[in-house]
Every structure is written in C-alpha cells, then in structure tokens.
Amino acid sequence: MQNDPQSGSPPKPRLLEQVRDVLRYRHYSYRTEQSYIYWIKRYIYFHNKKHPKEMGADEIVAYLTHLAVKRKVSPSTQNQALSALLFLYKQVLQIDLPWLDNIKRAKRKKYIPVVFSRNEVKHLLAQFEGTHWLIFSMMYGAGLRLSECIRLRVKDVDFHYRQLIIRDSKGYQDRVTVLPAPLIDPLRNHMARVKERHEMDLKLGYGDVYMPFALNKKYPNADREWHWQFIFPSANISTDPASGKQRRHHVYDRSLQRAMKRALAKAQIHKPAGTHTLRHSFATHLLEDGYDIRTVQELLGHKDVKTTQIYTHVLQKGGAAVRSPLERV
C-alpha cells in the first residue's frame, strides 16, 4: 500500500483489494469473486506485472489468444476471463474506453443437455441415503441448481402451499417452484434435527449464520434466528473467509459433486452427467408429461423461453423422431 505522508490520508488499497471491495459492494457471489481475482491476477502476471492502467485492447486480446491457443481453454472459460477484465477496467479502474465494447466474446458451442431417463433417476437416487438423498431428490423434484438447493433457508419453505421460494438466484431473480409431495415428511423430519443442532450451537455461543446484503446490520439479531438458518448446514463450524467469523455455513458443494460422481459409478450410468443433470431431467420430464413450456420456464427461472426450448431437442421431436428409410427396406 502507498501512503501520502503530506496529506495524512489513509493508504490506498492495492489493486486486487479494490477489485474485491467493488465485487462485494455489488453483491457478487464469493465464487465469482474468487474467479475474477484469479483471472485478473493471471492477466497481470502474463504481462510481467504491468499495471492494467498502462495496458489496453492489444494486451487483453493477446492474453485471450494465449488462453485459447496455448492453454486451449473452452469458449466459456475464455469469456469468463474477459468478463473479469471488463469488470476491472469499467467498474474498478473506471476506464470506459471504446475498445472495451469492441472486444468480441468467444462463440459458445450449442449443446444438447445430458438428461437421465426416469429409470436412471430412480436408480441413481437409490444410491443415496440421509441428507444426500434429500438434497438430490429436491434438485430433481424441484428443478434446482446445486447452489440454489444448498442455500435454501428455513423461511424459503412453504409447506402449506407446497412450494419453495428461490431467492437471489442467477441474475439476482426470485422465483417459486414446486415442493414435491413425497419430500414433505422427510424434509420436516430433517429440519427438526437441524433445529436441535441449531439450539445446541446457540448454547455453545455459535448459531449465527451468514446474512445477505449486510442485513445483519439492519437486523442485528436476525442471524441467530431459526427462520434464517440454512436447511442443509455444514457438519462443521468453520471460519467465514469474508468476515473472519466462526459459524456454521451451508453444506459444501464440492462434497456433493463428489457424492454424485460416486453414485453414478455405483448406478453404472455411463453418461457425462453431474449434479446439474438432475435439473435438465426435471425440465425434460415435465415437457414429456405435457406441461406448457412457459410453465417450465417459470419453474426453472429462465429469463428467455429460448433457453428452455433446448429441452425440446431431447424429446422425440426433430431428428430423433424421424424414421430412417432403412427401416422400410
């Protein structure tokens, strides 16, 4: 940090600290924060620690070309790096130059989502038990992203209307989706056990939970209240990397991804699948059951129906519905 002894002003934060501050001020997720910091740091090191203010379009294009040609990253990864650099220049350094808007993003490949058959879903879920079974059943039964499922709080469950409220999802949108009837009793029982552990945490001096958008300043005691607690808390108390406080966060997403990988192997499902495949399967199976695509769009939280239409390609329409002439010979 640099300090001006003449002015007596506090030291100016280093560049990456400024980036982190702006990201948190704009409520970007911690995962996005980690990603943007990584790409900005790699960009600076690629150009021999030259300050970004001294660089421009040529340096950004050179770096993105290096990622594509030398490191052979995917178009989505290349676009993520570009987003980080655009954020650096526009939001942090506040340099709004014409060349920023002229840098083209890598063209993303169109793909058909991997989908489980209903029998595969049944066989896959049979490989889980306890909390893992409940989490993956909710992801399939309600069309949840992994991050949405593990961030559910007590107040987001409406047993009376059998619905889940998904808050601050992708694009900071809220939406309502279905709470599957077969999961109501298992979820009630699970939440009762979580409440017992929360009450024990309170007795031990813990029990507070991360609050979004600095709500803990507006409601100082809300972070210890039951309705704000995560439905799927971590088994361990850990240190919050943002605040430094020790608290029980939600279950770790990577552990669930590893559990899914093991279950796929046990179920002998040989597809390039992951946790998100359950969400793809939810959408596809609803369309198979005759639900309107607009309804599916709302349940998934897609802004554009074109995003939802990708699931129609998985159904028996288009090329998959054509009978080969060989069948008539």
Side-chain angles (χ1 to χ4, degrees):
M1 296 183 182
Q2 297 178 349
N3 193 2
D4 186 353
Q6 301 298 325
S7 65
S9 59
K12 187 176 181 180
R14 295 181 183 273
L15 179 61
L16 293 182
E17 292 177 6
Q18 293 179 52
V19 174
R20 188 174 286 107
D21 289 344
V22 177
L23 283 165
R24 293 181 181 179
Y25 174 77
R26 293 179 175 273
H27 305 297
Y28 280 71
S29 69
Y30 182 65
R31 186 62 55 82
T32 301
E33 176 185 316
Q34 289 179 306
S35 174
Y36 276 25
I37 293 292
Y38 171 81
W39 289 118
I40 292 170
K41 187 183 296 184
R42 299 316 307 165
Y43 168 66
I44 294 172
Y45 273 92
F46 179 77
H47 291 293
N48 300 314
K49 299 184 180 180
K50 196 174 182 181
H51 197 282
K53 283 186 177 179
E54 302 173 10
M55 298 187 281
D58 291 342
E59 285 81 4
I60 290 182
V61 171
Y63 180 60
L64 296 176
T65 302
H66 163 75
L67 292 179
V69 177
K70 297 293 185 182
R71 292 188 55 185
K72 298 185 180 350
V73 302
S74 67
S76 61
T77 300
Q78 189 180 13
N79 286 334
Q80 186 184 65
L82 174 58
S83 294
L85 298 180
L86 293 180
F87 182 88
L88 169 67
Y89 280 97
K90 287 189 174 184
Q91 306 299 335
V92 180
L93 299 178
Q94 298 184 344
I95 298 176
D96 193 8
L97 299 177
W99 53 262
L100 282 172
D101 298 319
N102 294 329
I103 295 179
K104 294 184 178 180
R105 293 181 176 272
K107 188 173 181 180
R108 299 186 66 174
K109 175 184 176 182
K110 290 186 178 181
Y111 72 98
I112 303 299
V114 176
V115 173
F116 295 129
S117 69
R118 295 171 193 263
N119 189 54
E120 286 174 330
V121 170
K122 182 179 179 180
H123 196 33
L124 177 67
L125 294 179
Q127 309 307 314
F128 300 109
E129 57 184 18
T131 303
H132 280 183
W133 174 85
L134 184 56
I135 288 175
F136 291 119
S137 295
M138 288 183 66
M139 288 181 63
Y140 170 68
L144 304 180
R145 299 178 177 92
L146 177 57
S147 60
E148 294 171 346
C149 189
I150 62 178
R151 287 192 288 110
L152 280 172
R153 299 179 190 249
V154 173
K155 65 183 180 62
D156 300 329
V157 179
D158 188 333
F159 286 109
H160 179 75
Y161 287 104
R162 284 176 30 188
Q163 62 185 21
L164 300 172
I165 296 90
I166 312 303
R167 305 183 190 276
D168 304 319
S169 184
K170 192 173 182 180
Y172 293 103
Q173 299 294 317
D174 292 353
R175 76 176 191 277
V176 175
T177 188
V178 61
L179 171 59
L183 298 183
I184 290 178
D185 287 341
L187 183 57
R188 283 186 188 275
N189 295 334
H190 168 80
M191 291 172 65
R193 293 190 295 271
V194 172
K195 188 173 184 180
E196 289 178 1
R197 183 161 59 180
H198 171 60
E199 291 172 350
M200 182 63 68
D201 284 346
L202 289 173
K203 292 178 181 178
L204 295 174
Y206 300 104
D208 65 313
V209 70
Y210 165 77
M211 298 287 282
F213 309 120
L215 284 176
N216 57 322
K217 293 182 179 179
K218 187 175 182 180
Y219 308 108
N221 298 318
D223 58 357
R224 297 167 66 85
E225 295 176 359
W226 165 238
H227 67 274
W228 275 103
Q229 301 303 306
F230 289 117
I231 292 176
F232 300 112
S234 171
N236 302 309
I237 291 175
S238 58
T239 302
D240 187 329
S243 66
K245 293 188 66 175
Q246 284 195 317
R247 53 164 61 110
R248 195 182 296 278
H249 204 49
H250 57 62
V251 66
Y252 191 41
D253 56 353
R254 297 285 172 83
S255 66
L256 294 170
Q257 290 165 347
R258 290 192 291 267
M260 170 61 78
K261 187 175 181 180
R262 291 193 297 268
L264 287 168
K266 286 183 179 179
Q268 296 187 349
I269 298 176
H270 306 295
K271 291 182 175 180
T275 57
H276 207 67
T277 309
L278 292 169
R279 177 174 160 89
H280 293 324
S281 304
F282 165 83
T284 304
H285 296 167
L286 284 182
L287 292 173
E288 283 180 345
D289 290 340
Y291 284 95
D292 181 78
I293 194 169
R294 294 286 183 181
T295 300
V296 179
Q297 177 191 358
E298 290 182 7
L299 293 174
L300 292 174
H302 289 161
K303 289 184 179 179
D304 194 331
V305 73
K306 291 181 180 178
T307 308
T308 316
Q309 285 174 339
I310 189 68
Y311 298 109
T312 62
H313 297 297
V314 184
L315 305 176
Q316 294 300 311
K317 298 179 180 180
V322 174
R323 293 187 63 188
S324 168
L326 182 63
E327 298 177 26
R328 300 180 182 273
V329 174

